[in-house]
Amino acid sequence: MSSERRVRIGVVGLGYWGPNIARNVAENPRAELAWLCDRSADTLAAAAARHPQARTTGSYEELLDDPELDAVAIVTPVSTHYDLAAAALEAGKHVLVEKPLAASSAQAADLIALAAERSLVLLPGHTFLYSPPVLKVKQLLDEGALGEIYFISLSRVNLGLHQPDVSVVWDLAPHDLSILSFWLGGMPTEVSAFSRSCVLPETPDVAFVNLRFGAGVVAHLELSWLSPVKLRRTSIVGSEKMVVYDDTSNEPIRIFDAGAELPTPETFGEFRLTYRTGDIVSPKIAAAEPLALEIDDFCAAILDDTETRSSPRLGFEVVRAVEAIEASLQNGGRPCSTEERAELESAAAGLDRDTLTAARSRAR
Ligand SMILES: NC(=O)c1ccc[n+]([C@@H]2O[C@H](COP(=O)([O-])OP(=O)(O)OC[C@H]3O[C@@H](n4cnc5c(N)ncnc54)[C@H](O)[C@@H]3O)[C@@H](O)[C@H]2O)c1
């Protein structure tokens, strides 16, 4: 595809999040907002009023039938991701699918195989990988500025929105899992979790998740749709420095020169800790909108054949980690190893055709 061409994108699902994707596609110089699609006529009409240049339809099939359409962005509930993404890939369209990539790792593996077979781009919408504060923390970690990372605690709580088809874990944990994997270079090896369905029966709306990573880092994740205040706060505690990343603040990153040291004892059996509280630095963070950068990445992958930052493999690993959290929840909070599903991991890597075929038949 010539680099002067624009990617013709159809946005499917224009409820809460879809309008943000549609706006960023419409504003991107390498993209063209070609179609808007939603089953709800009222929702579609509201989006069409904002983007009169785009064609509209309530029928996903009509959109896929357009031979001029290059790609779709799927922004519908999680339970629909697999069917809509598989149909688009089978129709030869590149796919951006909102997080989580699919409702099971078998489905995610199938989508990865479909995209690979057809040489199509499959981008799971892990938006935080494009967030300037998240990138700043990644830079600090890669430079070793915080020293050895001891632990990370994350709070992602607010009032609403209860999702119709998934628990708070499926809705919110993909954000933190994608961020932690990006920062630490891999997924947790073990998870354990507790949750409660406070408002709707059988729909957990609060969860407390513990994560253990290979390098010894431990993390705690607090997720809830029931909170008097919105918190998007992460503390990263290292041996040299500590960072607070608050996504709701206009100073999203604060670096604390703080820590505890254990000087070599002068006599056997004696030790005295010293605590350090030095400067607090708030670095300048670019104001770029993460979704704009995500759409840039999607268009570049299609037009220039580049690798996307939010990769299909990451999408698969996030789903697998959420499944491990679910398994722990169903086992009364018992720790669950995320490495137990090595079979599907090799399927995701496209290494083993037989395993892939088995995963695909399970997904269907
Ligand atoms: N990346 C982020 O930060 C972020 C934030 C919010 C939501 N999301 C994700 O976006 C997705 C949508 O979430 P939401 O909160 O916008 O949901 P929503 O329920 O508000 O909107 C979904 C829309 O999809 C439409 N729809 C459903 N099935 C359809 C179909 N087959 N064809 C056409 N339209 C269909 C519905 O009519 C509705 O308008 C979810 O996967 C969610 O996880 C991502």
Side-chain angles (χ1 to χ4, degrees):
M1 209 179 271
S2 149
S3 60
E4 284 160 22
R5 254 208 69 185
R6 295 205 291 169
V7 185
R8 301 188 77 243
I9 301 176
V11 178
V12 187
L14 295 151
Y16 165 68
W17 192 242
N20 294 322
I21 304 256
R23 174 174 51 79
N24 277 284
V25 169
E27 289 172 359
N28 194 296
R30 304 192 82 191
E32 180 185 331
L33 181 63
W35 283 90
L36 296 166
C37 172
D38 200 292
R39 283 205 301 223
S40 154
D42 289 347
T43 304
L44 190 58
R50 284 191 291 269
H51 303 289
Q53 77 281 20
R55 295 170 74 183
T56 58
T57 181
S59 156
Y60 186 54
E61 291 69 29
E62 187 189 358
L63 172 142
L64 291 185
D65 276 348
D66 177 1
E68 300 291 309
L69 186 73
D70 300 309
V72 294
I74 296 167
V75 203
T76 53
V78 180
S79 54
T80 66
H81 286 184
Y82 173 74
D83 286 342
L84 297 180
L89 293 167
E90 277 162 356
K93 314 296 184 195
H94 303 283
V95 171
L96 187 165
V97 59
E98 256 313 323
K99 58 80 200 166
L101 174 55
S104 73
S105 51
Q107 290 183 349
D110 189 39
L111 294 179
I112 292 170
L114 276 174
E117 279 164 17
R118 289 162 175 73
S119 301
L120 292 166
V121 175
L122 175 64
L123 176 71
H126 291 299
T127 324
F128 280 95
L129 267 59
Y130 301 90
S131 153
V134 170
L135 293 169
K136 180 68 192 175
V137 174
K138 169 82 171 151
Q139 181 202 330
L140 292 169
L141 293 172
D142 287 353
E143 287 168 352
L146 311 189
E148 181 196 349
I149 302 306
Y150 291 149
F151 67 91
I152 303 180
S153 63
L154 310 94
S155 294
R156 189 175 296 279
V157 302
N158 48 262
L159 194 59
L161 297 164
H162 280 74
Q163 294 292 306
D165 59 341
V166 290
S167 70
V168 75
V169 173
W170 279 94
D171 185 35
L172 298 184
H175 287 314
D176 298 295
L177 291 165
S178 64
I179 292 170
L180 288 170
S181 166
F182 183 53
W183 284 347
L184 300 175
M187 280 291 164
T189 53
E190 188 181 274
V191 305
S192 61
F194 285 105
S195 73
R196 185 168 179 194
S197 305
C198 304
V199 177
L200 295 172
E202 311 292 322
T203 305
D205 42 21
V206 59
F208 303 103
V209 183
N210 295 315
L211 309 165
R212 185 185 298 282
F213 289 81
V217 180
V218 290
H220 177 77
L221 195 50
E222 177 195 11
L223 306 167
S224 179
W225 292 321
L226 285 175
S227 168
V229 289
K230 177 172 178 169
L231 295 180
R232 296 286 183 267
R233 197 180 54 214
T234 299
S235 302
I236 305 146
V237 174
S239 57
E240 301 295 322
K241 289 189 177 158
M242 305 181 186
V243 167
V244 173
Y245 157 40
D246 182 348
D247 211 44
T248 62
S249 166
N250 50 14
E251 280 187 357
I253 300 290
R254 284 185 303 149
I255 306 165
F256 294 74
D257 184 8
E261 266 136 42
L262 183 58
T264 312
E266 282 177 17
T267 57
F268 181 75
E270 175 206 317
F271 72 87
R272 187 172 298 152
L273 279 176
T274 57
Y275 292 94
R276 193 179 69 256
T277 52
D279 292 342
I280 304 170
V281 175
S282 171
K284 187 169 167 52
I285 303 291
E289 184 176 355
L291 262 186
L293 302 178
E294 185 180 307
I295 302 298
D296 278 346
D297 201 26
F298 187 49
C299 292
I302 295 166
L303 295 169
D304 309 332
D305 207 19
T306 52
E307 295 281 318
T308 54
R309 183 179 304 154
S310 174
S311 66
R313 186 179 183 92
L314 174 72
F316 171 83
E317 288 178 349
V318 164
V319 171
R320 201 182 56 165
V322 174
E323 287 176 335
I325 295 170
E326 285 283 339
S328 173
L329 289 175
Q330 277 154 27
N331 279 302
R334 282 228 305 272
C336 175
S337 163
T338 57
E339 287 172 340
E340 280 161 7
R341 298 165 192 256
E343 175 207 18
L344 276 168
E345 187 166 342
S346 64
L351 300 176
D352 174 347
R353 306 300 300 171
D354 293 342
T355 312
L356 201 51
T357 310
R360 293 187 58 178
S361 61
R362 276 199 299 277
R364 285 179 183 277

